[in-house]
C-alpha cells in the first residue's frame, strides 16, 4: 500500500521532467502535435533527433551565455568562499568586543533574499558604471548568509588546541586558516560552495536588471529570452532547460570530489 | 620577592593584552571583505531605497526630484490596486507555505518507512529541484497550455478542459502548483533529516504503549520535529515572498492582475512604469516584511545549532 503511494508520487513528480527530457530529443512539431489528445506518444517520441541541441548550442547565442554563467559562477565561488571563510574564522576564533553582534548582523543581512533589494542595488551599480560588466554580475552573488553561518559553525567544532599548537610552531593567522582550518572543513566548504554556485547559476532577476548587452547575458535569462521570442519552439526551450539542469547535478558531483561529502542537516541549506 | 611576583603578573597582563590587540588586528583584517561587501551590497542600496522612497519625481526625470516625506507610502496605501497586491501576496504566502510544508512532511514521513527501493522514489521527488526555475516555468507553461497535455489528461478522464494561466481564477493556483512541484521535494530533504534524528527508542516505547500510527505521529513525531518544521516554514516563506520568475515569465501579473505579487509589482513600477521613487517605496515595504521573517529564521537556526 505504502509502496504504491510512493511509486505513484515518484512518477507524478518525475513525469514533467521526463517529458522535458524526451521532448528535447524530438522534433518541435512532434511535441506540439502530440500534446493533445493524450496518447502514449505524448511522452514517448517516435523519432529522435539532436536538432534542438544543435540549434540551441550552435545557432543561438546560448553557448556564449552558458560560458558567461560558468565564468560568473566559478569566480563567485572562489571569492565567496574566501570572504566567507575569513569572516567565519574571525567570528569563530578571535575574541573581540561585540563579536556576536557582528556575526548576527553579517548573517542576517546576507540572509535577506538578494531579490528584495536587487532593484535599488541595480540602480546603484548602474550609477557606478558596473552595468554590463562581469564585476557587476559577480559581486552580489558572493555574500551568502548561510555559507558564513555553516563555516563558522564548523570552525567552532575544531578544537582550539590545534590552533594553539600551530601558533607555537610560529604559524600566522592566515596560515592557520588556510592550511589547518580549511583542510579540516571539506563538507562545510562543499555546502557553502554549492550555496554560492546555485545562487549564481539560477540567478534570473539580477542579470535581467544589470545586463542589457546580449554578449554578457547569463544562461537562465537567455533561455527565458528564447521562450518569449518563439513561443512555440518547445524543442529548443526543453533542450535549454535540460542543459541548465545538468550543470547543477554535475557540479554537486565535482564539488563532492573536490571538498568531500555533502551534509544536509536540519538547519543547513 | 614581592617585586618579582608583581613584575611577573604585569608581564602576563601585558602578554594577554598583546594577544588581545593582535587578535583585534587580525579580526579587523579578516572581517574587512565581508563588512565592506555588506555595506556596499546591502546597506547602501537599502538606504538608497529609503531615501528614494521619500522623494517625488515625474517619470522621465527631467525635473529634479523633490522631498515629499511619506507621500509615496500614503499614495500607495490609498491605491486599492496596491492594497490588493499586498493582500494577495500575504494570502498567497498563507496558502503556499503551509501547503508545501504539510505535503513535504507527509512525503518525508512516507519516505522514512520501510519501502522497497525507497531511495529511487525519494530521488524522483527531488528531481524537480535540480531544474532551474526558468526551465520549470517553460515546462509548466507548456504543460498547462489550454491545448496542452494536462488538459488532454483531464479530457481523457472525462473532465472539462481548464483555462489555467489564462483565467484570473486559476492563474495564481497554477503558480502554486508549479512552485510546490519544486518546493515539496526540496523541503522534504530537510524534514527527512529531522525525522532520522529522532531516536528509534521513542518509537519502540510508543509501540509498547500500543499507540497506533496516527497517535504516534501526533504525540512522538510532531513534537520532536517542531524545530525543523518551523525552520523550513520560515525559510520557505522567505523564498516565496520574493517569487518572481513564474510571474514575469508566464503571466506578467495577469490575467486582470490576479498574479501580481509584491516583488513583481516593485519591478514593474520601477522598470515598466519608470517610477523609481514609488518603486523604491514598494521595495522598502517588501524588505521590511522580509526582515521580520529573516530575524525569525536566524533565531531558529541558532537555537537549533546551539542545542545540539
Amino acid at each position: 500500500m505504502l509502496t504504491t503511494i510512493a511509486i505513484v508520487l515518484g512518477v507524478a513528480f518525475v513525469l514533467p521532467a521526463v517529458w522535458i527530457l524526451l521532448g528535447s530529443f524530438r522534433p518541435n512539431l512532434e511535441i506540439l502535435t502530440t500534446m493533445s489528445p493524450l496518447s502514449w506518444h505524448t511522452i514517448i517520441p517516435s523519432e529522435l533527433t539532436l536538432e534542438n541541441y544543435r540549434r540551441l548550442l550552435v545557432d543561438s547565442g546560448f553557448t556564449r551565455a552558458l560560458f558567461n554563467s560558468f565564468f560568473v559562477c566559478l569566480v563567485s565561488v572562489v571569492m565567496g568562499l574566501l570572504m566567507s571563510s575569513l569572516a567565519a574564522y574571525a567570528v569563530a576564533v578571535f575574541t573581540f568586543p561585540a563579536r556576536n553582534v557582528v556575526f548576527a548582523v553579517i548573517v542576517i543581512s546576507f540572509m535577506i533574499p538578494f531579490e528584495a533589494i536587487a532593484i535599488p542595488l541595480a540602480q546603484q551599480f548602474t550609477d557606478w558604471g558596473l552595468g554590463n560588466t562581469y564585476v557587476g554580475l559577480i559581486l552580489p552573488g558572493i555574500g551568502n548568509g548561510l555559507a558564513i553561518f555553516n563555516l563558522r559553525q564548523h570552525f567552532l567544532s575544531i578544537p582550539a588546541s590545534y590552533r594553539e599548537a600551530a601558533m607555537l610552531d610560529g604559524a600566522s593567522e592566515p596560515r592557520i586558516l588556510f592550511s589547518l582550518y580549511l583542510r579540516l572543513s571539506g563538507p562545510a566548504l562543499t555546502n557553502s560552495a554549492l550555496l554560492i554556485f546555485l545562487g549564481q547559476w539560477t540567478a534570473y532577476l539580477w542579470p535581467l536588471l544589470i545586463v542589457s548587452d546580449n554578449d554578457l547575458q547569463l544562461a537562465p535569462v537567455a533561455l527565458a529570452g528564447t521562450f518569449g521570442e518563439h513561443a512555440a519552439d518547445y524543442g529548443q526551450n526543453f533542450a535549454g532547460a535540460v542543459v541548465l539542469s545538468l550543470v547543477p547535478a554535475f557540479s554537486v558531483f565535482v564539488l563532492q570530489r573536490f571538498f568531500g561529502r555533502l551534509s544536509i542537516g536540519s538547519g543547513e541549506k | 620577592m614581592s617585586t618579582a611576583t608583581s613584575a611577573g603578573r604585569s608581564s602576563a597582563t601585558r602578554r594577554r593584552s598583546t594577544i588581545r590587540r593582535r587578535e583585534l588586528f587580525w579580526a579587523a583584517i579578516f572581517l574587512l571583505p565581508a563588512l565592506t561587501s555588506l555595506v556596499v551590497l546591502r546597506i547602501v542600496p537599502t538606504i538608497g531605497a529609503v531615501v528614494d522612497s521619500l522623494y517625488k519625481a515625474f517619470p522621465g526625470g527631467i525635473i529634479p526630484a523633490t522631498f515629499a516625506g511619506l507621500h509615496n507610502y500614503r499614495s500607495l496605501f490609498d491605491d486599492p490596486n496596491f492594497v490588493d497586491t499586498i493582500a494577495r501576496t500575504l494570502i498567497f504566502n498563507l496558502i503556499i507555505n503551509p501547503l508545501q510544508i504539510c505535503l513535504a512532511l507527509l512525503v518525508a514521513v512516507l519516505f522514512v518507512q520501510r519501502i522497497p527501493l525507497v531511495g529511487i522514489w525519494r530521488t524522483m521527488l527531488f528531481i524537480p529541484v535540480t531544474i532551474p526555475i526558468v526551465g520549470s516555468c517553460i515546462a509548466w507553461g507548456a504543460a498547462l497550455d489550454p491545448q496542452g497535455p494536462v488538459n488532454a489528461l483531464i479530457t481523457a478522464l472525462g473532465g472539462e478542459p481548464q483555462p489555467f494561466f489564462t483565467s484570473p481564477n486559476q492563474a495564481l493556483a497554477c503558480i502554486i502548483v508549479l512552485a510546490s512541484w519544486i518546493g515539496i521535494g526540496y523541503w522534504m530533504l530537510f524534514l527527512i533529516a529531522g525525522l532520522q534524528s529522532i531516536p528509534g527508542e521513542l518509537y519502540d516505547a510508543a509501540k509498547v504503549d500500543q499507540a497506533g500510527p496516527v497517535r504516534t505521529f501526533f504525540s512522538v513525531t510532531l513534537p520532536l520535529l517542531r524545530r525543523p518544521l518551523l525552520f523550513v516554514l520560515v525559510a520557505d516563506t522567505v523564498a516565496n515572498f520574493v517569487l518572481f520568475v513564474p510571474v514575469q515569465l508566464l503571466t506578467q501579473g495577469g490575467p486582470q492582475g490576479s498574479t501580481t505579487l509584491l516583488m513583481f509589482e516593485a519591478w514593474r513600477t520601477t522598470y515598466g512604469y519608470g517610477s523609481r521613487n514609488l518603486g523604491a517605496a514598494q521595495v522598502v515595504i517588501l524588505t521590511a516584511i522580509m526582515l521580520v521573517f529573516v530575524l525569525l529564521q536566524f533565531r531558529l537556526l541558532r537555537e537549533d545549532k546551539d542545542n545540539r
Side-chain angles (χ1 to χ4, degrees), chain B residues 237-248:
Chain B
T237 308
V238 169
N240 279 326
F241 242 96
V242 289
L243 193 71
F244 174 77
V245 185
V247 182
Q248 197 254 354

Side-chain angles (χ1 to χ4, degrees), chain A residues 109 167 204 266 268-269, chain B residues 22 42 186 190 248 308:
Chain A
S109 350
M167 280 170 93
Y204 178 82
S266 57
E268 293 160 341
K269 217 176 173 183
Chain B
R22 218 180 54 93
R42 301 289 151 127
Y186 185 70
F190 292 82
Q248 197 254 354
R308 261 197 247 155

Side-chain angles (χ1 to χ4, degrees), chain B residues 175-187:
Chain B
I175 290 181
I176 291 180
V177 169
L178 190 168
S180 306
W181 182 60
I182 308 167
I184 291 172
Y186 185 70
W187 302 116

Side-chain angles (χ1 to χ4, degrees), chain A residues 27-90:
Chain A
N28 183 48
L29 195 66
E30 202 192 292
I31 304 178
L32 288 171
T33 50
T34 55
M35 269 191 184
S36 181
L38 197 71
S39 72
W40 58 275
H41 267 306
T42 305
I43 295 276
I44 308 296
S46 55
E47 184 187 341
L48 291 176
T49 168
L50 288 174
E51 178 61 18
N52 295 320
Y53 287 92
R54 198 191 59 77
R55 268 186 301 139
L56 178 78
L57 298 172
V58 181
D59 299 348
S60 79
F62 195 69
T63 310
R64 168 89 206 188
L66 271 179
F67 166 79
N68 288 336
S69 272
F70 254 120
F71 179 73
V72 165
C73 284
L74 283 182
V75 178
S76 305
V77 167
V78 172
M79 289 179 66
L81 282 185
L82 185 69
M83 185 188 90
S84 309
S85 31
L86 283 171
Y89 184 78

